Amino acid sequence: MIKKIHLSLVMLIVLSLVLGACTTPAAPPTAAPPTQVPAAPTQAPEPTAVPEAPLDVEGLFAGLIDGLPADKSFGTISAAKLNEALADKPPFLLDVREVSEIESDGYIEGAVHIAIRDLLKNLDQLPGQGEPIVVYCGSGHRGGLALAALKLLGYSDVRNLGGGLGAWKKASLPVVTGSMPEAGKTLGSPAIEDQALFTTLDEFLSGMPDGFYTIKADKLGEALAASTPPVLIDVRTLDEWNKDGYIEGALHLPFNEFFANLNPLPKPDQPIVVYCGSGHRGAIVMMALRLMGYSDVTNLGGGLGAWKAASLPVAGWVNWPVVWTEYTAALPGQGFYAIKPDGLNSLLADNPPYLLDVREAAEVENDGYIAGAVHIPIRDVLTNLDKLPALDQPIVVYCGSGHRGGMALAALQLLGYSDVRNLNGGLGAWKKASLPVETGLPEAGASGAAPEVDAIRLRDLDAFLAGLPAGFLTVKAPDLNTELAGTTPPILVDVRTSEETAQGYIEGSLLIPIDQLLTNLNQLPDKSAPIVVTCQSGHRGAIGMMALQMLGYTDVRNLGGGVNAWDAAELPLTAN
């Protein structure tokens, strides 16, 4: 009985073990079942992109412009200076014009051609980023864009040919025609530190339309006359604005101060035209504004120079090349507005003119003066017009030799004084004719009403006379003789008539009569070269010197006393 019970118990235990092995075990009480099972990814997830900061275009161009100061010609090089550099230590010369322009107009020998739209795609054809590069185009506009892009990318020694190939040709420098420049060669791969900047600049240059965001002078004239004219921005210096005039209605925001105050700028979608002197600075500012989001900005092709060449109106400016050309061409052949001592002496006894002594006070005290004269030194004449008679009253000017009198005569006549003459030979000739002089100082002139004259002419003429240096831009005959024997002698320009020069002239002189001088400027050297003008006594030489100085010739003097003084010093003359 007991054995049967044990057997039944054993069988029950075995059966429970077998059934337990066939069931799924319960999950441990500490493990909660998941509410959602994620699907297995097919690839590794992309990292979250960090957005790039937008380019600081304003800061980039402000820094660029800071590195293009006025005393370094805003990053330009003149045709004459480039010609010297090419003969001495040539820079890499880069022509960024179109193929059709090269075929039509030629190119500068040694240039490598990469059109502006393709420039940044071919940086491997440029030299190292510290090597000298000179860029040129047709007028300076595209050269300015190329300079800006390259300098922003780290090219530290880049200049633009001021005025482009047009200025090169105007300087009578050679061009190669009938062929294309040498193809660029791979020189290396530059290090581009800012890929976003590179991409932005490349997209700008490569995407430029025909015309390259320029507007011609005649088209700008039409636009300004329309009912909704563009906003006009002049980026030249204050000196240029005052000296060369400006287009009426322009905002004046100088290049080197442009980013200091952008408040005057219009809304970004308004049309804007930028201009400078020749197109270089205007191109850089135009590029900056477009990259800043101003959508309708163009640059005046050729700048104010092109505007003037199109004979379009300029405010605050006198066209001195035209004025001086007309004035000198109209000088009368008999006397050239000079009066001899005996003629003046007769006038003083009969119907005295207003007599104006323009010497310095020390000269008057030392050498005396002609009775009845009013003393106003040459540098002060035009600020004392209230002491002169009316515009149509007779005036005779005199100085020591005729030089300063010639300048005063020209200045007064150009302001509208219609009856002015200069004492030929000055007080020296008066004394030589044994005519009387007074001692001491003349009476001061009485003040009256100043006449109405052209304010811009007055400003420019006064600036010239008031700025005359010691010596008043004359050279004495013995000193000139010494200079002519030196290593860099001045160019001599004899402005007497052919009848006068037939009697003798200083050897080597260019013989150009005063009435033809300004229509023969092509015979003169570069505007920085030393020039000495000569005439018979100093009167015409003073007028010619003054005209050239005011037209931009920076080293022009007059032979004091003229050929008469040269002959009196027993220096040689030659004759045809």
Side-chain angles (χ1 to χ4, degrees), residues 57-58 204 213 233 258-259 262-272 274 285-298:
V57 174
E58 183 179 329
F204 176 84
Y213 298 128
I233 299 177
F258 190 81
F259 291 100
L262 297 178
N263 291 332
L265 293 182
K267 295 178 180 179
D269 59 349
Q270 286 188 260
I272 298 172
V274 186
V285 170
M286 178 278 294
M287 183 180 185
L289 290 176
R290 279 191 168 268
L291 291 175
M292 289 166 62
Y294 290 84
S295 58
D296 189 0
V297 190
T298 50

Side-chain angles (χ1 to χ4, degrees), residues 303-507:
L304 190 66
W307 179 267
K308 289 180 176 180
S311 300
L312 291 163
V314 179
W317 176 71
V318 173
N319 191 346
W320 284 114
V322 171
V323 170
W324 273 112
T325 299
E326 292 175 348
Y327 176 78
T328 54
L331 287 171
Q334 293 297 320
F336 305 95
Y337 296 121
I339 184 172
K340 293 181 179 179
D342 58 348
L344 175 58
N345 192 46
S346 298
L347 279 180
L348 292 173
D350 183 24
N351 190 16
Y354 182 95
L355 193 57
L356 176 61
D357 186 325
V358 296
R359 295 172 300 152
E360 298 296 287
E363 296 174 273
V364 177
E365 291 175 338
N366 288 336
D367 302 323
Y369 62 93
I370 302 173
V374 172
H375 174 236
I376 307 174
I378 184 67
R379 295 186 182 96
D380 303 325
V381 167
L382 299 190
T383 54
N384 287 277
L385 295 184
D386 60 325
K387 295 178 181 177
L388 301 187
L391 293 174
D392 61 349
Q393 296 300 301
I395 299 174
V396 173
V397 189
Y398 75 90
C399 62
S401 66
H403 169 76
R404 282 168 285 176
M407 291 189 289
L409 171 137
L412 292 174
Q413 288 186 330
L414 288 167
L415 288 174
Y417 288 84
S418 59
D419 190 359
V420 188
R421 283 177 287 178
N422 178 30
L423 176 57
N424 198 12
L427 190 70
W430 179 268
K431 285 184 169 183
K432 190 174 181 180
S434 300
L435 292 167
V437 295
E438 302 287 324
T439 58
L441 285 173
E443 292 184 11
S447 297
E452 292 187 9
V453 297
D454 185 296
I456 306 303
R457 285 195 181 199
L458 176 61
R459 179 199 70 189
D460 293 350
L461 291 165
D462 179 54
F464 176 79
L465 294 182
L468 286 168
F472 305 99
L473 299 174
T474 61
V475 58
K476 294 180 180 179
D479 295 334
L480 176 58
N481 187 51
T482 300
E483 290 182 25
L484 292 173
T487 55
T488 55
I491 302 296
L492 299 179
V493 182
D494 192 320
V495 297
R496 295 176 298 156
T497 65
S498 57
E499 292 79 12
E500 291 173 294
T501 56
Q503 303 302 312
Y505 58 88
I506 303 172
E507 187 174 4

Side-chain angles (χ1 to χ4, degrees), residues 182-238:
E182 182 181 336
K185 300 175 182 177
T186 301
L187 300 177
S189 297
I192 302 299
E193 296 183 0
D194 191 332
Q195 190 64 41
L197 175 60
F198 172 85
T199 300
T200 298
L201 295 172
D202 181 47
E203 288 176 350
F204 176 84
L205 294 181
S206 63
M208 285 193 295
D210 292 342
F212 307 98
Y213 298 128
T214 62
I215 183 171
K216 293 183 178 179
D218 57 345
K219 294 299 182 183
L220 175 58
E222 294 173 7
L224 292 173
S227 57
T228 55
V231 175
L232 199 55
I233 299 177
D234 186 324
V235 298
R236 297 170 305 142
T237 64
L238 181 59

Side-chain angles (χ1 to χ4, degrees), residues 488-558:
T488 55
I491 302 296
L492 299 179
V493 182
D494 192 320
V495 297
R496 295 176 298 156
T497 65
S498 57
E499 292 79 12
E500 291 173 294
T501 56
Q503 303 302 312
Y505 58 88
I506 303 172
E507 187 174 4
S509 297
L510 296 172
L511 307 180
I512 310 175
I514 186 67
D515 61 340
Q516 302 169 35
L517 176 62
L518 298 187
T519 56
N520 286 277
L521 294 180
N522 60 324
Q523 295 187 41
L524 301 188
D526 182 84
K527 286 188 174 182
S528 62
I531 297 172
V532 172
V533 185
T534 65
C535 67
Q536 197 66 41
S537 64
H539 168 76
R540 281 167 287 173
I543 296 172
M545 178 276 295
M546 182 177 178
L548 292 176
Q549 283 271 352
M550 290 188 66
L551 266 57
Y553 290 81
T554 58
D555 190 0
V556 190
R557 292 168 294 166
N558 181 29

Side-chain angles (χ1 to χ4, degrees), residues 51-98:
E52 293 185 0
L55 286 175
D56 179 13
V57 174
E58 183 179 329
L60 287 167
F61 274 85
L64 168 68
I65 288 174
D66 280 346
L68 302 173
D71 61 1
K72 293 187 178 179
S73 302
F74 308 103
T76 64
I77 183 172
S78 69
K81 292 295 184 184
L82 175 58
N83 189 48
E84 293 174 7
L86 291 173
D88 182 24
K89 192 175 180 182
F92 184 91
L93 192 57
L94 175 61
D95 187 324
V96 296
R97 295 173 300 149
E98 300 295 289

